[in-house]
Amino acid sequence: MTDMQSIYLLIPLLPLFAAVIVGLFGSQLPRSAAHVLTILGVGASFALSAYVFVDALQGNVYNGTVYTWLTSGDISFEVGFLVDRLTAMMMVVVTFVSLMVHIYTIGYMHEDPGYSRFFSYISLFTFSMLMLVMSNNFMQLFFGWEAVGLVSYLLIGFWYKRPTAIYANLKAFLVNRVGDFGFLLGIGMVLYFFGSLNYDAVFTIAPHLADATVSVIPNTEWSLMTMVCLLLFVGAMGKSAQVPLHVWLPDSMEGPTPISALIHAATMVTAGIFMVARMSPLFELSTTALSTVMVIGAITALFMGFLGIIQNDIKRVVAYSTLSQLGYMTVALGASAYSVAMFHLMTHAFFKALLFLAAGSVIMGMHHDQDIRNMGGLRKYMPITWITSLIGSLALIGTPLFSGFYSKDSIIEAVKLSHITGSSFAYFAVLAGVFVTAFYSFRLYFLVFHGKERWMEKPHEEHTPHTHEVAAHSDDEHHHVVHEEHHGLGPDDKPHESPWVVTFPLIALAIPSVIIGYVAIGPMLFGDFFNGVIFVDIHAHPVMHELAEDFHGAGAMAMHALTSAPFWLALSGVVLSWFFYMKRPDIPAAIKAHTVLINKILENKYGFDSFNEKVFAAGSRFIGNKLWQIGDVKLIDGLIVNGTARLIGRISGIIRQLQSGLIYHYAFAMIIGVFLMLTFWFAKI
Amino acid sequence: MTDLPILSLAIWVPILAGIAVLFTGGDKHAHIARWVALAGSIVAFLVTVPLYTGFDFSYGGFQFQELIEWIPAFNIHYHLGADGIAVPLILLTSFTTIIVVIAGWEVIQKRVAQYMAAFLIMSGLMIGVFSSLDAILYYVFWEAMLIPMFLVIGIWGGPNRVYATIKFFLYTLLGSLLMLVAFIYLFHQSGSFEVIDYYQMPLAMNEQILIFLAFFMAFAVKVPMWPVHTWLPDAHVEAPTGGSVVLAAIALKLGGYSFLRFAMPIAPDASAYLSGFMITLSLIAVVYIALVALVQQDMKKLIAYSSISHMGFVTLGFFVFNQLALDGAIVQMISHGFISSAMFLSVGVLYDRMHSRQIADYGGVANKMPKFAAFAVLFAMANSGLPGTSGFVGEFMVILGALQANFWYAFLASTTLIFGAAYTLWMVKRVFYGEVANHHVAELTDINKREFFILALLAVLVLGFGLYPQPITELTNATVNQLLMHLSQSKLPIGL
């Protein structure tokens, strides 16, 4: 094994070892051992990832097998690594954000009885996510894919006493399984038609199968590539929360805030984006698939943004913002701008992790009150949280020179240049989305950090929106709702800034949130960073090519933006939110009163949840009950099994009459029998 | 090594150990009975280990053969042998017996010697089924193993055990009788009870179909396949924990194994002809039974239905006729042996404390039993087919293999990803999560060292084979390959 191979192996294994040791022996070890061990593991993993990144920048690519997982006939499944620049970038992002979240957790969870369990889970997550991004084949990709889903399940339900949390984690797992259902079928198609699950082999064969068709329904011909890509994309829709499989992500906010930042914003939810970018050689062969991807992404980007406007729970606003930004990334994929999607994935990982961790800091400062209507004026009490939140928000809305600007503006430009079906709708959606994003982001910002200190006048409301929801979903859990742990500030309390273990990660994430876009846009989008990794059919989908022609450096791009639509849309969003929530709070209230119907639709989140609850969940239980009660109990058991038994019982009941117990009856029967036998005996002779 | 009659040892060591346990006396000497049983089960496991270490992985035929004349008048032999399909199942059997002995340690307080003896003897008999190459010998073992199982449920079972045992006994006996008829017919045609002779025997299509259906009746009940599955939930609910473990982990595999040993190679043309029928029944098991499992209120019933659904993958894997699916079906049998054992043991842990199997009686168990909850979640995830656990491997292979036959087979089979997770994790949610539900749950104590040991052992295996399933397929590869070659050759008499 070469040195590099050992390093590749150590990167995922160090967090795994830390997770296993802390997980198994956490209760025997001192409390500090939990964070020391896991931070050492993830820290080393980050340092090594950075080393690998530098190595990859020199053009080194590694593709090799670690061990053969299973052989069946001619087919062999392997565990192996593919480390190119795409992988290396993901490794750095994942381990960096993970490291920050580990440090942050020391402060955020320090009173929690499940302290070591939490550290074990997040380290296990880091391992799983690394296995996902480092894979060189579909089998291991699926392993990582489901493993991050498992850890997400465990962490959303971390506070397993809360009915809302254990509702949310089951929901998250099952919705993700719906995505994985498609994903697995896609993998099955790949194995069948390409004869291998190794990326290398599949991508080599793909162009030869570009025009292949399959006849899944007799007498129909579907393009093989379209079908494979769409099935794989169903998996991405689950993991990256695209409409209509997005329903689990807002509820996942039931988990502790550090994991909302790590898993449900920065890394796991972007796995779908990463996967599609990795599969660019396949997706490029199906414009139908790309169109679908783009339209789904556009719907998610715009309509999930609307929902961010009416949320009052600080984490939910950020969650809907995440959904919307994932939609942006998906749109970029659809436009064949894979590198732009990856670029936005990276900038988003920094500023969205920052926003979530800042939200967590606010929640700590507010003594676990999450309702932004009870906040206000926090900038005085929490200066670091305030400044870093502002930086995160500016990055999110795409303020020129901030990281989010470069990635988001590139997406908008790419969609503008795209001509595939659905691109005009997508262009409208991403443009309108800019305004919406700016509006809800600064609504949150103003309500939390500026204006009146509302916790003084209104101690706290007992009802947060999501407790309502759960009560509506499952009546049987209604009585548990009172146990919600929302304390809030007392009348004499003041919010306080968080300890350094919390503020340090905020600062460390704020830096790349500002500068990474400026630094990286040149090489990543228009340089050779993704050469040989991401494949674009330049003739069919020339978007990136045309985009490069318009690009004259990061500074010029920022200057040019001042005269373009997105900038003014974002600015008007900010100004409007300032006017509504700082100057004239009566206006949003009045609007709300006059738009009852729209408001109701938004509050019901377009009805996805109640539809799923009533149709899929209740429907399955109904069918299950009928199959059981009618199929098993009545027909099979009642009619056939016990029916046969009853029939035999009845017949034997008749025969039993013959057994009278009187000896002369038997003797008589015997004599007759003997006569009959003798008769036959003689007749034969 | 090969000079020793390993298979005979594998069969008779546990049976003799069982008889020895019977002689330890009444419940006054229960602790002696337990230790003798444990020693016996460990020795019985150790004698099966050479089946793996001495196995020739490249040879697809029968190894470790033993041939002794038994009833010359009817040309019946004591003929043993094991191939790559039988060996993993034999190892599973001897391993599971140790688990069962430990699991019953202080839980069983009445007729301890008889209880332990029943499992040891049953273990030997089931290994006999897996290693017989003579039809009559096989039939004797097959029927004989019903008796200890009947006794286990009938003596140590729950309140409704009489109904359950009779249903179990009659269901399986009726099926088996048709199998005997098939054997007699085959003997009549060939003058031999040698299974290997039957493989070479030409048979007309209508003969093959009748023979296949006769076998089908016997094996489908055992697997069990829809619609002859309804004995299983009842038997599980009434059986003591050990009984459920053996039933799920091994007894069901007798059916699956026998399809591969008899029905398919003896009647390959009929197998191909009826494969659509078999696949349909398998897919009904996967989908229909999963939905039924979703609405169960009794944990054991839920796991029993889950077993049937998982066994649907086994029969599906058999009848799509490719190596990936068939290997996958065998892996699924082995993996299901571990996972279903673990699931039933987990229910046993709860039942021993609360004397209830009703999901509604629980809630928030994780608060009081954190170690146990960790195991339960792991096994639940394995049952939901999470990659990294053995539960994933077989399903993954069968789904991928089935897709090569028909996309819709894979489509329907893949619904297990959703339904399997739904019924398993919904149960976990209601039993383990939430606030402590009532004062009975509040009084629960976490698992003791003995319980920890067996659950940990199974956890290691579930994870081990999930991360590295290669040892199983190494065993099966050559045999499965040979079996598929055999199945592809028509046995119809020439000229027809």
Side-chain angles (χ1 to χ4, degrees):
Chain A
M1 200 187 287
T2 67
D3 289 351
M4 275 324 265
Q5 277 171 313
S6 322
I7 289 173
Y8 298 141
L9 212 51
L10 279 175
I11 289 171
L13 288 185
L14 287 171
L16 176 67
F17 285 143
V20 169
I21 292 169
V22 172
L24 291 181
F25 308 109
S27 50
Q28 283 101 309
L29 297 170
R31 210 172 157 82
S32 57
H35 66 248
V36 170
L37 281 171
T38 50
I39 287 176
L40 278 178
V42 175
S45 184
F46 167 63
L48 292 172
S49 297
Y51 179 76
V52 167
F53 183 77
V54 172
D55 182 61
L57 277 184
Q58 276 143 34
N60 294 325
V61 175
Y62 175 79
N63 184 8
T65 302
V66 178
Y67 70 92
T68 301
W69 183 68
L70 181 132
T71 316
S72 172
D74 311 331
I75 305 164
S76 107
F77 301 93
E78 281 151 358
V79 171
F81 293 144
L82 169 61
V83 184
D84 54 17
R85 287 171 178 181
L86 180 64
T87 309
M89 186 205 99
M90 285 300 286
M91 286 160 68
V92 172
V93 170
V94 168
T95 51
F96 175 69
V97 177
S98 176
L99 181 61
M100 291 306 120
V101 167
H102 272 75
I103 296 170
Y104 180 91
T105 301
I106 300 173
Y108 194 84
M109 301 293 284
H110 80 108
E111 284 171 346
D112 199 285
Y115 191 75
S116 62
R117 183 163 58 99
F118 191 85
F119 275 101
S120 171
Y121 286 169
I122 52 177
S123 269
L124 184 64
F125 170 78
T126 312
F127 158 75
S128 311
M129 191 70 204
L130 286 167
M131 289 301 279
L132 190 162
V133 298
M134 292 174 75
S135 169
N136 73 347
N137 65 78
F138 286 85
M139 192 280 294
Q140 188 184 333
L141 175 70
F142 193 72
F143 165 80
W145 195 264
E146 289 244 304
V148 291
L150 163 74
V151 191
S152 164
Y153 167 83
L154 293 173
L155 282 166
I156 296 170
F158 184 77
W159 287 314
Y160 56 77
K161 287 182 195 176
R162 291 187 185 177
T164 45
I166 59 179
Y167 171 83
N169 77 338
L170 184 61
K171 178 173 169 182
F173 198 86
L174 294 183
V175 173
N176 267 290
R177 271 295 173 99
V178 174
D180 293 356
F181 166 79
F183 195 38
L184 183 62
L185 288 172
I187 293 174
M189 296 282 286
V190 167
L191 179 69
Y192 182 33
F193 288 98
F194 296 72
S196 173
L197 287 184
N198 285 326
Y199 294 160
D200 225 15
V202 172
F203 297 159
T204 314
I205 299 166
H208 304 289
L209 291 171
D211 302 319
T213 56
V214 284
S215 179
V216 170
I217 296 172
N219 306 322
T220 56
E221 297 270 297
W222 293 349
S223 153
L224 171 66
M225 279 304 161
T226 301
M227 193 169 159
V228 168
C229 290
L230 288 179
L231 285 170
L232 293 175
F233 182 63
V234 171
M237 285 165 67
K239 199 77 16 196
S240 293
Q242 299 295 303
V243 175
L245 297 184
H246 66 283
V247 289
W248 64 273
L249 188 63
D251 287 12
S252 78
M253 294 300 125
E254 288 300 330
T257 308
I259 63 112
S260 307
L262 176 62
I263 302 183
H264 303 121
T267 56
M268 182 188 86
V269 287
T270 59
I273 311 299
F274 164 78
M275 186 267 283
V276 176
R278 176 57 87 200
M279 303 303 155
S280 60
L282 304 184
F283 279 83
E284 276 303 291
L285 297 171
S286 169
T287 307
T288 315
L290 287 174
S291 281
T292 314
V293 169
M294 185 185 260
V295 170
I296 299 244
I299 292 172
T300 309
L302 182 59
F303 289 91
M304 293 301 120
F306 287 143
L307 295 183
I309 296 173
I310 60 142
Q311 300 298 317
N312 290 317
D313 179 312
I314 184 168
K315 285 180 73 181
R316 294 210 168 217
V317 179
V318 190
Y320 279 105
S321 151
T322 305
L323 280 172
S324 168
Q325 295 306 306
L326 289 167
Y328 273 90
M329 297 176 213
T330 307
V331 169
L333 296 170
S336 291
Y338 306 96
S339 55
V340 180
M342 289 308 297
F343 184 42
H344 195 54
L345 185 161
M346 177 180 75
T347 60
H348 176 259
F350 295 127
F351 65 69
K352 191 51 68 62
L354 169 60
L355 283 170
F356 259 120
L357 294 183
S361 178
V362 168
I363 293 169
M364 288 166 76
M366 292 293 298
H367 289 216
H368 295 276
D369 185 350
Q370 303 190 186
D371 195 323
I372 52 177
R373 289 169 302 187
N374 296 348
M375 300 176 185
L378 287 183
R379 70 182 195 283
K380 264 198 285 181
Y381 304 95
M382 311 183 74
I384 303 176
T385 308
W386 164 52
I387 293 291
T388 49
S389 287
L390 179 59
I391 291 172
S393 303
L394 289 172
L396 169 63
I397 67 166
T399 314
L401 294 175
F402 283 75
S403 63
F405 157 74
Y406 288 103
S407 53
K408 194 191 274 182
D409 233 39
S410 305
I411 292 176
I412 295 166
E413 287 303 308
V415 178
K416 194 178 177 182
L417 293 168
S418 177
H419 297 296
I420 63 172
T421 315
S423 56
S424 40
F425 164 67
Y427 182 60
F428 162 75
V430 292
L431 218 50
V434 171
F435 173 78
V436 177
T437 307
F439 183 75
Y440 67 67
S441 298
F442 275 83
R443 169 178 174 264
L444 175 77
Y445 171 76
F446 288 128
L447 283 176
V448 172
F449 293 104
H450 294 268
K452 266 195 280 184
E453 299 173 355
R454 287 182 300 276
W455 71 86
M456 316 261 271
E457 58 203 50
K458 194 160 72 173
H460 59 281
E461 287 193 348
E462 199 51 64
H463 294 292
T464 48
H466 54 283
T467 49
H468 274 308
E469 249 161 60
V470 173
H473 283 320
S474 42
D475 298 333
D476 56 322
E477 288 168 346
H478 192 259
H479 57 282
H480 286 306
V481 171
V482 283
H483 295 300
E484 275 291 293
E485 296 170 22
H486 284 169
H487 313 299
L489 291 171
D492 304 325
D493 294 339
K494 289 224 181 328
H496 55 83
E497 180 60 289
S498 304
W500 74 269
V501 284
V502 169
T503 50
F504 168 72
L506 297 182
I507 298 164
L509 284 164
I511 296 166
S513 298
V514 179
I515 61 164
I516 196 76
Y518 186 89
V519 176
I521 185 169
M524 245 175 119
L525 298 196
F526 309 112
D528 57 1
F529 187 80
F530 284 129
N531 271 6
V533 181
I534 284 172
F535 170 81
V536 180
D537 183 348
I538 202 163
H539 301 292
H541 311 121
V543 167
M544 283 313 289
H545 191 66
E546 291 171 16
L547 209 55
E549 285 173 4
D550 296 340
F551 180 73
H552 308 290
M557 184 170 166
M559 289 306 291
H560 175 73
L562 298 179
T563 59
S564 69
F567 173 73
W568 293 102
L569 282 168
L571 189 63
S572 50
V574 175
V575 170
L576 192 69
S577 66
W578 172 79
F579 185 67
F580 272 17
Y581 296 99
M582 297 297 293
K583 286 284 141 192
R584 295 284 306 276
D586 53 309
I587 297 181
I591 294 176
K592 196 174 169 183
H594 285 93
T595 53
V596 180
L597 182 65
I598 293 175
N599 209 55
K600 202 169 177 194
I601 292 173
L602 292 180
E603 270 183 357
N604 289 325
K605 296 162 284 174
Y606 310 114
F608 281 106
D609 278 337
S610 51
F611 179 82
N612 290 338
E613 189 67 30
K614 279 178 198 139
V615 176
F616 292 118
S620 300
R621 286 195 295 268
F622 176 80
I623 296 171
N625 258 319
K626 290 291 167 218
L627 289 175
W628 181 36
Q629 295 298 350
I630 295 175
D632 270 30
V633 176
K634 275 206 182 129
L635 286 177
I636 298 175
D637 265 2
L639 198 68
I640 301 170
V641 178
N642 297 339
T644 313
R646 270 198 300 278
L647 187 68
I648 292 172
R650 221 168 280 153
I651 294 169
S652 53
I654 297 163
I655 297 172
R656 198 156 44 224
Q657 308 289 320
L658 298 175
Q659 297 173 340
S660 57
L662 298 172
I663 292 173
Y664 65 87
H665 280 178
Y666 297 156
F668 180 68
M670 274 167 70
I671 292 167
I672 291 183
V674 169
F675 267 112
L676 282 173
M677 274 161 69
L678 285 175
T679 315
F680 278 112
W681 182 264
F682 284 114
K684 255 192 174 172
I685 296 170
Chain B
M1 194 68 91
T2 44
D3 301 341
L4 281 171
I6 298 170
L7 288 172
S8 279
L9 287 173
I11 296 169
W12 297 106
V13 167
I15 294 179
L16 292 174
I19 293 169
V21 172
L22 282 179
F23 280 105
T24 57
D27 284 345
K28 265 186 275 176
H29 307 293
H31 60 287
I32 305 178
R34 290 180 188 124
W35 283 106
V36 173
L38 181 62
S41 63
I42 292 173
V43 173
F45 173 70
L46 290 176
V47 298
T48 57
V49 170
L51 292 176
Y52 181 79
T53 54
F55 193 80
D56 178 356
F57 293 108
S58 58
Y59 180 61
F62 294 101
Q63 306 182 26
F64 313 104
Q65 288 203 35
E66 297 169 33
L67 181 62
I68 303 166
E69 221 168 51
W70 183 18
I71 310 174
F74 292 100
N75 203 5
I76 298 172
H77 295 85
Y78 176 81
H79 188 184
L80 303 177
D83 58 6
I85 298 169
V87 168
L89 291 165
I90 294 172
L91 287 165
L92 176 69
T93 310
S94 59
F95 169 78
T96 307
T97 309
I98 303 179
I99 294 279
V100 169
V101 168
I102 302 175
W105 203 256
E106 79 252 350
V107 176
I108 298 297
Q109 288 293 346
K110 86 177 175 176
R111 298 172 197 255
V112 176
Q114 286 91 329
Y115 178 86
M116 297 293 180
F119 283 104
L120 282 164
I121 293 170
M122 193 155 38
S123 165
L125 296 173
M126 290 187 297
I127 293 176
V129 174
F130 290 130
S131 53
S132 295
L133 295 183
D134 182 280
I136 295 301
L137 184 65
Y138 165 88
Y139 188 77
V140 169
F141 282 127
W142 173 276
E143 294 291 28
M145 72 80 35
L146 285 179
I147 299 165
M149 185 53 95
F150 184 81
L151 295 174
V152 163
I153 302 175
I155 296 174
W156 292 275
N160 200 14
R161 56 185 183 265
V162 175
Y163 172 75
T165 39
I166 291 179
K167 194 170 174 183
F168 162 68
F169 202 80
L170 288 182
Y171 239 119
T172 39
L173 194 72
L174 277 177
S176 313
L177 283 175
L178 287 168
M179 168 171 75
L180 184 63
V181 172
F183 282 143
I184 291 169
Y185 179 82
L186 287 165
F187 172 69
H188 197 72
Q189 299 292 305
S190 67
S192 160
F193 279 114
E194 280 290 318
V195 175
I196 301 167
D197 288 347
Y198 298 161
Y199 287 3
Q200 309 308 329
M201 209 169 107
L203 287 165
M205 195 58 160
N206 55 354
E207 286 177 297
Q208 284 198 30
I209 287 177
L210 287 173
I211 288 169
F212 185 91
L213 289 177
F215 282 136
F216 168 79
M217 288 305 291
F219 305 150
V221 166
K222 210 68 159 193
V223 168
M225 297 179 73
W226 186 88
V228 286
H229 63 280
T230 60
W231 63 273
L232 188 73
D234 285 321
H236 269 306
V237 165
E238 299 305 325
T241 302
S244 285
V245 169
V246 170
L247 203 54
I250 312 162
L252 306 189
K253 279 58 180 201
L254 298 170
Y257 165 81
S258 302
F259 269 114
L260 297 180
R261 176 63 66 240
F262 297 97
M264 296 173 71
I266 292 174
D269 303 283
S271 300
Y273 179 73
L274 294 170
S275 64
F277 168 69
M278 298 299 290
I279 288 168
T280 307
L281 293 187
S282 308
L283 289 171
I284 291 176
V286 171
V287 181
Y288 167 122
I289 298 292
L291 286 165
V292 173
L294 192 64
V295 296
Q296 296 306 309
Q297 300 301 319
D298 178 310
M299 289 188 269
K300 265 194 157 179
K301 263 199 176 164
L302 192 151
I303 302 167
Y305 277 110
S306 155
S307 275
I308 304 168
S309 183
H310 282 101
M311 292 305 284
F313 275 90
V314 173
T315 45
L316 173 64
F318 287 171
F319 286 91
V320 296
F321 298 106
N322 62 51
Q323 177 132 17
L324 188 58
L326 194 44
D327 271 340
I330 297 167
V331 173
Q332 174 81 346
M333 286 204 279
I334 304 296
S335 156
H336 179 259
F338 300 135
I339 296 170
S340 62
S341 296
M343 297 285 282
F344 280 117
L345 287 167
S346 300
V347 176
V349 164
L350 289 174
Y351 186 80
D352 293 342
R353 287 165 173 71
M354 300 247 307
H355 300 285
S356 167
R357 293 181 314 265
Q358 297 302 313
I359 294 172
D361 290 343
Y362 292 87
V365 171
N367 295 296
K368 292 288 154 190
M369 306 179 73
K371 279 187 220 158
F372 176 56
F375 279 118
V377 171
L378 170 70
F379 295 130
M381 282 296 167
N383 201 49
S384 320
L386 190 85
T389 68
S390 63
F392 166 70
V393 187
E395 286 179 13
F396 179 68
M397 294 168 77
V398 171
I399 289 171
L400 263 51
L403 191 136
Q404 320 210 338
N406 186 319
F407 177 80
W408 297 107
Y409 296 166
F411 183 89
L412 288 170
S414 299
T415 57
T416 192
L417 250 66
I418 302 163
F419 296 134
Y423 62 69
T424 316
L425 297 180
W426 192 30
M427 175 172 73
V428 168
K429 172 180 180 265
R430 288 177 291 168
V431 172
F432 288 94
Y433 296 151
E435 294 277 357
V436 171
N438 53 49
H439 69 276
H440 296 296
V441 173
E443 287 159 14
L444 284 173
T445 50
D446 210 341
I447 43 176
N448 59 32
K449 283 188 176 138
R450 177 186 59 81
E451 290 163 331
F452 183 89
F453 174 74
I454 44 177
L455 292 178
L457 198 59
L458 287 166
V460 167
L461 286 165
V462 164
L463 287 171
F465 283 116
L467 296 172
Y468 190 54
Q470 178 83 329
I472 304 177
T473 48
E474 261 172 8
L475 272 172
T476 60
N477 247 328
T479 306
V480 168
N481 190 18
Q482 186 168 320
L483 176 64
L484 284 168
M485 295 271 281
H486 176 82
L487 290 175
S488 64
Q489 284 154 8
S490 173
K491 280 176 71 175
L492 298 178
I494 297 154
L496 279 174

